[in-house]
Amino acid sequence: KEIGLLIDREQAREAWSAMISQAKSSFLTIADELCDRLATETNPIACREMLESKIHEALAHLAEYPASA
């Protein structure tokens, strides 16, 4: 291995697996977090804004995932 150019395949797989798992968890909780508010909201634009906010929140959290994980 040349220093700084290659990484261990297993470490890369574990890092990607952890990142994907975190993303999955973040997105799957959106329904639980918003279901009551969405059920009572009659304005479709407000529903979209709630969903977009939670999706952006999950994506921002994913973007903060450490590159060395």
Side-chain angles (χ1 to χ4, degrees), residues 1 8-9 15 21-22 24 27 30 43 50-51 63 66-69:
K1 291 182 187 181
D8 181 70
R9 181 184 332 175
S21 179
Q22 177 60 45
K24 177 183 173 184
F27 284 107
I30 291 173
N43 182 344
M50 283 187 262
L51 287 166
S68 61

Side-chain angles (χ1 to χ4, degrees), residues 4 14 24 32 41 45 52 56 60 65:
E14 289 174 7
K24 177 183 173 184
D32 289 336
E41 182 59 61
I45 294 172
E52 285 178 349
H56 285 287
Y65 202 85

